[in-house]
C-alpha cells in the first residue's frame, strides 16, 4: 500500500492522527457554513512577493493582491502575522481583526500552515523593518489536509524527498532554486546556439534500430505494425540524416532512455543536448563546447568561478587538451606508444589487475587503463582527445594514426560532461564499423549497436564533413548547482515502487 493509500485508509480509522482528523473536521465545518475552499476557482493576483520587496520604495502604500501558501502563523490576540510563499519567494502578512472584521479574523485563526490563501491589502514596513502586506481581505483558496514537515525545515529523508518532490519544493527553498536554475541553463543553451545559427529540431523517440551510442535500450511493442521498437538511446543518427538533407546546423534537447544501472550519475531517462555542424571538425566542437559552458555559467550564475563539492573549478581558464594515451602515461605510467601487439596490451592489463574480455582490442585495453587510473584525476576542465577506434564507431579516424579517432570527451570533477567527434562520413568505413558492432552484439555485448541500413543509405547520398557534440544536461546542471546526485536535478527521478 502506498503512502497516499495509507492516508486515505486511515481516514476511516479511529487511530487517525490528530492533525489529519482536525483538518478534515475544519473542512467539514467550512462546507457546512457554505465556505467550501475548493469552490473558489479564481483569484486575481497582481504582484509577487519578490517584486514587492525589490520595488518597495515604489510599492509602499500601494494596494496589492498576493496569493500563496501559508508557511507559518503567529496568532497574537486581535492582530496576527503569517508568512505566505508564492512562486518567487515569501512575504509577511499582517492581519488585524478590526480591519477585516471579527468573522473573517476568526476564519483566519482557524487556517492551518499549508493552506493556500489570496490576500488583498497595502504594502508597508513594520516597526521591525520587515516589508509586509497589511491585510484588508483574505480568501481561503485551498485547504491543506496533510501537514507540512514541522517548522518547514524540509524533508530530511532523501528517499522521501525524491518520492514527494511536491513537498520538497514547498519546504526547501534551495531545491526550488536548483530547478529554477535548471530551466535558466537550458534557456541560455538555446539562446547561445540560436546566436550561432543552429536550428532546433525534434526527432523520433521510437526507433526501429537502437543506435548512436553504446547502451542497452528499452524495448516496447507497436501493436498495429506488430513490431518491436526501441526507446532512443541517443539523438545522433536522425540528426545526422538532417545534415545530409542540407540543414547545416541542427540541435535537439530531449530525453533519451538507457536500460542500465542507477547511481548518483545515472538515471534510466535523462536529458541530452546533441548538435551537429557541417564543415567543421572536433576542434571546432571543442571551441564551441568551451564557449557554450562559459556563456551559460556567466548568464545563470554571474561567474565562471564555481565550487563543486568544496573544490574550486575555473571555467574561465582555457580548458586543458590531453590525449588518452598521454593521460594514461601521466597517471598510470604506461606508454601505449610502445604497445605494438594485442598480446603486449593483455600482458600489461594482467600486470595491473585489469579484467580483459576476449573480444577486446588494444584500444579497449587503453580505455580500461584510462578509466582505472586517469578519469578521476581530471578535476579542472579537460578535453580528453583521440579515442581508440574500437570504442568510437561513429567518429572519423585520425589521418596520421588510423588506430585513433578525432574524438574528445570533456571531463570536469572527474566526470564526463560532453562527447564529440569529427563525424565519420565515409559510408564504406561506417558499414564496416556497424558490422563490427553487430558481431560484438552477437557475441554478447548488449550495449553494441546493429547495422542501420537507412542511415547508411543516407550517408551514401553524401554527408559533408561534420562536427558533432553531445552534452548531458543533467550533469551540467549538477555541476553548476553543486548537486551531489542526478536525482537532485531531476524533478521526478525514477524510483522503485513502494510496497
Amino acid at each position: 500500500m502506498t503512502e497516499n493509500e495509507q492516508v486515505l485508509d486511515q481516514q476511516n480509522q479511529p487511530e487517525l492522527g490528530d492533525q489529519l482528523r482536525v483538518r478534515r473536521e475544519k473542512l467539514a465545518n467550512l462546507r457546512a457554513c457554505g465556505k467550501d475552499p475548493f469552490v473558489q476557482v479564481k483569484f486575481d493576483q497582481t504582484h509577487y512577493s519578490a517584486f514587492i520587496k525589490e520595488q518597495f520604495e515604489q510599492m509602499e502604500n500601494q494596494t496589492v493582491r498576493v496569493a500563496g501558501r501559508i508557511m507559518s502563523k503567529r496568532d497574537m490576540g486581535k492582530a496576527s502575522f503569517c508568512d505566505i510563499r508564492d512562486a518567487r519567494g515569501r512575504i509577511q502578512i499582517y492581519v488585524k481583526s478590526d480591519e477585516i472584521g471579527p468573522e473573517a479574523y476568526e476564519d483566519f485563526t482557524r487556517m492551518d500552515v499549508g493552506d493556500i490563501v489570496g490576500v488583498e491589502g497595502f504594502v508597508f514596513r513594520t516597526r521591525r523593518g520587515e516589508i509586509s502586506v497589511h491585510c484588508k481581505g483574505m480568501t481561503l483558496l485551498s485547504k491543506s489536509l496533510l501537514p507540512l514537515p514541522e517548522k518547514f525545515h524540509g524533508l530530511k529523508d532523501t528517499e522521501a524527498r525524491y518520492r514527494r518532490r511536491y513537498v520538497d519544493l514547498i519546504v526547501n527553498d534551495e531545491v526550488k532554486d536548483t530547478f529554477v536554475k535548471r530551466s535558466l541553463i537550458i534557456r541560455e543553451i538555446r539562446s547561445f546556439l540560436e546566436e550561432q545559427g543552429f536550428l532546433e529540431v525534434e526527432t523520433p523517440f521510437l526507433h526501429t534500430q537502437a543506435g548512436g551510442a553504446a547502451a542497452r535500450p528499452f524495448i516496447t511493442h507497436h501493436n498495429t505494425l506488430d513490431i518491436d521498437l526501441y526507446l532512443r538511446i541517443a539523438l545522433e543518427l536522425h540528426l545526422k540524416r538532417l545534415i545530409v538533407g542540407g540543414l547545416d546546423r541542427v540541435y535537439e534537447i530531449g530525453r533519451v532512455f538507457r536500460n542500465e544501472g542507477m547511481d548518483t550519475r545515472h538515471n534510466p531517462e535523462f536529458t541530452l543536448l546533441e548538435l551537429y555542424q557541417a564543415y567543421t571538425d572536433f576542434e571546432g566542437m571543442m571551441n564551441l563546447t568551451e564557449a557554450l559552458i562559459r556563456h551559460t555559467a556567466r548568464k545563470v550564475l554571474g561567474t565562471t568561478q564555481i565550487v563543486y563539492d568544496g573544490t574550486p573549478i575555473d571555467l574561465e581558464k582555457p580548458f586543458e587538451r590531453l590525449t588518452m594515451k598521454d593521460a594514461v602515461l601521466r597517471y598510470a605510467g604506461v606508454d601505449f606508444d610502445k604497445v605494438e601487439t594485442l598480446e603486449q596490451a593483455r600482458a600489461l592489463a594482467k600486470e595491473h589487475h585489469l579484467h580483459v574480455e576476449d573480444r577486446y582490442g588494444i584500444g579497449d585495453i587503453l580505455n580500461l587503463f584510462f578509466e582505472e587510473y586517469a578519469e578521476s584525476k581530471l578535476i579542472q576542465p579537460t578535453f580528453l582527445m583521440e579515442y581508440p577506434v574500437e570504442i568510437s564507431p561513429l567518429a572519423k579516424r585520425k589521418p596520421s594514426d588510423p588506430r585513433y579517432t578525432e574524438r574528445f570527451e570533456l571531463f570536469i570533477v572527474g566526470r564526463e560532461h560532453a562527447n564529440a567527434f569529427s563525424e565519420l562520413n565515409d559510408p564504406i568505413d561506417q558499414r564496416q564499423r556497424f558490422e563490427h558492432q553487430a558481431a560484438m552484439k552477437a557475441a554478447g555485448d548488449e550495449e553494441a549497436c546493429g547495422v542501420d541500413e537507412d542511415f547508411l543509405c543516407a550517408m551514401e547520398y553524401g554527408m559533408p564533413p561534420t562536427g558533432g557534440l553531445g552534452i548531458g544536461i543533467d550533469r551540467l546542471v549538477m555541476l553548476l548547482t553543486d548537486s551531489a546526485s542526478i536525482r537532485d536535478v531531476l524533478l521526478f527521478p525514477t524510483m522503485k515502487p513502494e510496497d
Side-chain angles (χ1 to χ4, degrees), residues 104 141 148 338 383 400 461 487:
L141 301 175
L148 297 178
K338 297 179 180 178
F383 288 119
S400 60
Y461 279 99
R487 293 184 176 189

Side-chain angles (χ1 to χ4, degrees), residues 360-395:
Y360 282 0
I362 295 175
D364 296 294
I365 297 172
L366 170 61
N367 187 54
L368 284 180
F369 273 91
F370 167 73
E371 291 178 345
E372 179 67 24
Y373 290 98
E375 182 172 354
S376 63
K377 307 295 194 306
L378 305 181
I379 304 302
Q380 296 302 319
T382 303
F383 288 119
L384 189 81
M385 307 179 297
E386 299 182 13
Y387 275 61
V389 70
E390 291 94 330
I391 59 171
S392 309
L394 296 165

Side-chain angles (χ1 to χ4, degrees), residues 150-209:
E150 288 188 5
K151 299 181 182 179
F152 54 92
H153 286 316
L155 293 172
K156 296 302 183 184
D157 181 79
T158 302
E159 186 88 358
R161 287 182 52 231
Y162 298 145
R163 289 189 185 280
R164 293 192 291 163
R165 181 67 83 189
Y166 39 89
V167 181
D168 195 25
L169 288 166
I170 292 171
V171 297
N172 287 326
D173 290 339
E174 68 277 9
V175 171
K176 183 177 178 181
D177 181 61
T178 292
F179 289 105
V180 170
K181 285 180 179 174
R182 179 188 175 104
S183 180
L184 295 175
I185 288 166
I186 294 173
R187 184 183 73 181
E188 290 304 329
I189 289 171
R190 284 194 166 100
S191 175
F192 176 87
L193 292 177
E194 287 167 9
E195 289 177 2
Q196 299 295 318
F198 282 85
L199 178 70
E200 184 173 14
V201 298
E202 295 176 302
T203 61
F205 277 71
L206 296 174
H207 293 180
T208 56
Q209 172 74 50

